[in-house]
Amino acid sequence: MKRVGNLWPRVIGFENLLLACHKARLGKRRRTEVSRFELNLEAELFGLKEELETFSYRPGGYRLFKIYERKPRMIAAAPFRDRVVHHALMNVLEPAIDPGFIYDSYACRQGKGVHAAVDRYQRWANRYAYALKLDIKSYFPSIDHAILESKLARRIKDPRVLDLLTLIIETSPAVDAPLVWYPGDDLFTPMERRSGLPIGNLTSQFLSNLYLDDLDHFVKDHLRWPAYLRYVDDMFLLGDDKAALKEVRHAIEAHLASDRLRIHANRAQIQHCSDGVDVLGYRVFRGFRRLRNENGYRFGRKLRGLAQAWAEGKIDWDKIDASVQSWIGHATHADTLGLRRCLFSKTIFRRGSGL
């Protein structure tokens, strides 16, 4: 594996910081901290550049809040100037490292995404008899800092970039990581090792992909399993031999343990592809796919809430349209014409009238 270097001058270049600012402000220009930053844009960017050059840059505090999508998740939002630094790093790092990822890694990569992953799975489901679905227990809270930093050092030889990445990793907010003992641990090992990446950071998306890249190559290059894809910590393997799928599951579990990770054992199921498998929000069969039931129920509740907020004058139409169009874009990748007609026929948007 060839390490990439000579990255630091590109990371802290003014043009790169300006591009990073433009990316970080997308969809957030009305926020106070963004407006303040842009009021003195040139001074702010040159100040960031100087702090990075002199190693005096220190990340600010995160804003923590919970979202509820199937289960509660703690989101950590970094200050705007720190998000500019994150984008500046990713502008340079991603093009250098992403080509080394396997083709069938689909999360947070240009030209990939959920729908491409589901399409790929469905093509394989038409070819193979069985599917093994795996996911990692408490993935983001369990990412071990020392192991992650070692993986970064094997891919990056620029010490300043490594120092900045380490700073971002080590100053992330503490998470409630599960106490798990692995082979070789003593009684205090799980308490002594720092772990966890904040959900919501741009850097966390990239680092979570990199953390499992060794596993991806183990499955594809060492085990030579042809039908394998991963989206964040959701993994799908397809084949015609149930016994072989059980063996590869055990090999993956052993490899994950070396990275201080474990799968959800009670969710690790081998299913017949013709019965339909839950894949990234869809129920996928060989010839068609449906949205998961909860997705339709959840959007129905959201749509009624948007109609109520519109009736009370609490929301702009642009926000309603963006939210609805986003869901429609997701729903049209499944057989949902009847569902969409049902949901939209029941909800009327009328200003000043309630529902």
Side-chain angles (χ1 to χ4, degrees), residues 37-147:
F37 193 94
E38 290 194 307
L39 277 174
N40 300 289
L41 180 60
E42 187 171 315
E44 290 280 5
L45 292 180
F46 274 117
L48 262 182
K49 179 177 171 63
E50 182 178 358
E51 287 180 28
L52 291 166
E53 285 177 330
T54 59
F55 306 105
S56 60
Y57 166 76
R58 293 295 179 271
Y62 284 78
R63 179 172 60 90
L64 303 177
F65 59 95
K66 280 187 178 180
I67 62 170
Y68 297 86
E69 291 183 357
R70 297 180 61 195
K71 62 181 180 180
R73 295 179 184 272
M74 182 65 72
I75 304 299
F80 181 73
R81 73 191 309 268
D82 292 340
R83 295 201 298 274
V84 172
V85 174
H86 299 169
H87 276 280
L89 260 175
M90 293 302 101
N91 286 346
V92 176
L93 270 185
E94 282 189 321
I97 292 179
D98 185 90
F101 293 163
I102 66 166
Y103 178 86
D104 286 306
S105 170
Y106 285 90
C108 306
R109 299 179 66 197
Q110 190 171 4
K112 303 290 185 177
V114 167
H115 302 131
V118 175
D119 289 344
R120 181 72 151 170
Y121 169 86
Q122 193 166 40
R123 287 194 293 273
W124 282 338
N126 285 310
R127 177 179 174 186
Y128 296 101
Y130 302 104
L132 169 63
K133 178 181 176 182
L134 305 172
D135 69 301
I136 297 172
K137 197 166 188 175
S138 301
Y139 177 48
F140 276 83
S142 299
I143 293 175
D144 186 272
H145 289 190
I147 294 174

Side-chain angles (χ1 to χ4, degrees), residues 102-208:
I102 66 166
Y103 178 86
D104 286 306
S105 170
Y106 285 90
C108 306
R109 299 179 66 197
Q110 190 171 4
K112 303 290 185 177
V114 167
H115 302 131
V118 175
D119 289 344
R120 181 72 151 170
Y121 169 86
Q122 193 166 40
R123 287 194 293 273
W124 282 338
N126 285 310
R127 177 179 174 186
Y128 296 101
Y130 302 104
L132 169 63
K133 178 181 176 182
L134 305 172
D135 69 301
I136 297 172
K137 197 166 188 175
S138 301
Y139 177 48
F140 276 83
S142 299
I143 293 175
D144 186 272
H145 289 190
I147 294 174
L148 174 58
E149 289 160 16
S150 174
K151 290 175 183 286
L152 285 166
R154 287 194 286 110
R155 291 162 174 82
I156 300 167
K157 61 182 178 182
D158 191 316
R160 294 186 178 183
V161 171
L162 288 171
D163 286 345
L164 180 56
L165 285 165
T166 298
L167 178 65
I168 292 171
I169 293 167
E170 297 297 339
T171 57
S172 61
V175 298
D176 293 326
L179 292 178
V180 182
W181 283 262
Y182 293 93
D185 286 356
D186 62 29
L187 180 63
F188 301 103
T189 300
M191 286 77 81
E192 293 170 346
R193 299 185 72 97
R194 182 93 195 275
S195 66
L197 291 181
I199 299 174
N201 258 12
L202 178 70
T203 51
S204 297
Q205 298 171 4
F206 172 77
L207 294 172
S208 68

Side-chain angles (χ1 to χ4, degrees), residues 10 20 25 36 47 52 66 68 74 166 170 173 185 192 213 227 241-242 251 255 281 290 303 311 315 320 330 338 344:
R10 292 157 56 196
R25 76 183 183 188
R36 286 176 177 167
L52 291 166
K66 280 187 178 180
Y68 297 86
M74 182 65 72
T166 298
E170 297 297 339
D185 286 356
E192 293 170 346
D213 182 54
D241 187 334
K242 291 180 74 172
H255 194 282
R290 305 287 192 199
L303 193 64
I315 192 171
I320 295 173
H330 180 68
F344 290 114

Side-chain angles (χ1 to χ4, degrees), residues 221-248:
D221 303 336
H222 180 72
L223 300 180
R224 297 190 177 278
W225 199 269
Y228 163 82
L229 69 84
R230 179 176 62 82
Y231 186 91
V232 191
D233 65 315
D234 287 313
M235 295 163 277
F236 300 87
L237 300 97
L238 292 87
D240 292 319
D241 187 334
K242 291 180 74 172
L245 282 167
K246 289 179 182 178
E247 289 179 8
V248 78

